[in-house]
Amino acid sequence: MPYLDHAGSTLPSKTQLEELAKLQTQLILANPHSHHSTAIKTQQIVSSARHRILRYFNTTADDYFVVFTNNTTHALKIVAENFNFGHRTQEGVVSEISAVLKGGSSNFAYFNDSHHSVVGLRHVVLGKVDAISCVNEDVVKEECIPKVEKSLFVFTAMSNFCGKKYDLNLIEKLQNKGWSVCVDAAALVSGTRLDLTAHRPNFVAFSFYKIFGYPTGIGALLVRKDSSKSIEKTSFAGGTVQSVDEMTMHFVLRDFERAYEEGTINSYGIAQLQKGFEEIERCGGMQAIRAHTYDLRSKAVQILQSKTHPNGKKVVEIYSQPHIQVSPETQGAIVAFNLVRPDNGYYGYTEVEKMCAIFGIELRTGCFCNIGACKKYLGITSEMIKENISKGKRCGDEIDLINGRPTGAVRISFGRMSTEQDIEVLKQMIDTCFVSSEKVFSPSLQSLKIDPFLPTVVNLFSFPIKSVGSVAKSSYELTPRGFKHDREFLVVKDDVTLNLKMHPELCRLTATIVNDEELHIQTFDQNDNLVIPMSLSLKENDAKVVCKKTIATLDCGDKVGQWLENALDMTNCRLLRVAGESKKNFVNDSPFLLINEASVYMLARHINMDVQDILTRFRSNIVVRGLPPFIEDTAKRLSIENLEFEVVDKCTRCEMICVDPMTGEKDPSLLLALRDYRNKQKITFGIYIRQSNFEPGQFVEAGSAVRFFTD
Ligand SMILES: *Cc1c(COP(=O)(O)O)cnc(C)c1O
């Protein structure tokens, strides 16, 4: 599996996990605030971890404090919340962000290429500062830095967008003009060792999972001892005070590190850090990892740049500093890019991500929590951001192109276990899915009109167990939430809902409700089946209410759980059912998904696949026949006999349709065919519909006439 998201989080290696497991079986820790021997042992482990961390950064406890935090974000926030900006010299709050550095007292500044965790700090310091600046690197040249007092610069050491490493010599130049510098080292530490003897920032924030993958949920704030006075804690919490009186305002904080570590620290996680540092040593140290990953990045860039369409146009647009400036000192192992169509339009990153999923490539898309870099490299303006939000664009959604312009990018990033093979798979994916070929598959629909066709319902499916297969039936009773009993049950493992994406083996089961009385679950090979009376779960003595998506559920009991464990070859499975008279169900989207059999045929013929197989993969509720392929896309509403439905949305498809339910194997051709067909639009298949004239006691039956309307 090519994992290309090391900038998101690197992964622990197998040896590392084995070592951790060994450590874990011997480790018994207690609350370090207590005084018994296990507590003292815990304190010692924590203290030795602080020293180990300082050694890694080439410094000692003489120079820096180590404050344990939850992550980088938490560490940055501690600095911003407690930094002593002195007294405000101007009235009111800052309402504008300056693009240059301001002189004087009480300034807060950061690079435009900053993580949202840095940018968000401006709201923490608001009211305490006179100026907030968001600057380009070239503004921070020695001669342009104004003299300041009591001011904080949060310095991105490496861009998590494109891997650009900022010149750490600027830290000293800023300090010479009076700035306190807090380095956001989260991205840098993933592939570079920060040397705190060579560079001496006042504060350093980072997370350990970025260095060695495990444990998560621990970061640190390193504070230079001679600048510990520039942050001033004005509150306290458990574990941070030496003396306190609950009836007066009196409190005395503990020593520096403990004063900032509020509550009980993650001692087990801290104990595990040594295994991470050992892992880095096993790989020959961070210097070797840096060389290895830089080399892979160079190869990847070379390959991506060489990709051209048959018409000679480049396929990949890379976002990076100018290549002549690139060296291991100035560039980390990240490549941000977008893919370009032969006609110069863009492929959306969501489409790229979907194709990657088929090839098993794991990477990151979007803006990676760094809107400043995204704007800079993609040419997005503040006005466009405003316009995009009005068009419904939200962080992390699938809107990847607006007016043909990308709203984000694709990011690959390398780590110590990355190989050339990973790049090879990426190359194959781009060749197969994005380098244009002569093959065309897009029947023109313009001439077709929907009105003259009167299709019928051919198949009806309800899925009593979410994500599990189904058996077609000829009639279903309607409820306001879809067919009666649709997604009334769900399978959980260790209390987490199983879904098809993570557990394709779920489609090896089929579930159907017989006569409203029994739920029948069958394995695909029909070797084993289970019959559960619909009355069972409600009567079960040990039934318990568990909340899933705020839906109260009842557990169907041990026997059913064990049967599922056997059938799915998994441990700790339970079958849950919506509690009470099924007022709710586990349907994610609209109550019904309708697909057109002709569209299925088109795809089947194009890729030589079995129609029935494709039908199963699209998991629809209603299949209609007698309509030209893909014309359902233009419908706004429809009727089935006297039942009326409105079209809510198109159903966006992902790599799930590529999984063979029998074998669990992925074959990309179905999604590729659909993608070819959709050409420049979202990869959708089928439409979501909702009934608009519901009354109790209505049924939908196979053979019913369907009418589509386009208004
Ligand atoms: C990952 C990252 C962060 C945030 O780290 P958390 O562990 O999520 O707090 C901040 N800045 C940069 C540059 C990063 O890469």
Side-chain angles (χ1 to χ4, degrees), residues 390-401:
S390 73
K391 290 194 171 162
K393 171 70 192 152
R394 300 288 182 271
C395 278
D397 66 11
E398 290 201 350
I399 303 178
D400 47 13
L401 296 173

Side-chain angles (χ1 to χ4, degrees), residues 600-618:
V600 177
Y601 268 100
M602 278 286 289
L603 289 172
R605 196 176 55 200
H606 185 66
I607 54 175
N608 212 358
M609 225 172 123
D610 177 55
V611 173
Q612 218 47 50
D613 183 5
I614 297 185
L615 266 175
T616 315
R617 297 184 189 202
F618 283 129

Side-chain angles (χ1 to χ4, degrees), residues 7 71-74 76 115 117 156 158 160 184 186-187 207 209-210:
N71 46 39
T72 310
T73 307
H74 180 203
L76 292 167
H115 194 275
S117 292
T156 304
M158 179 173 123
N160 69 320
D184 172 4
S207 304
Y209 70 91
K210 294 251 170 115

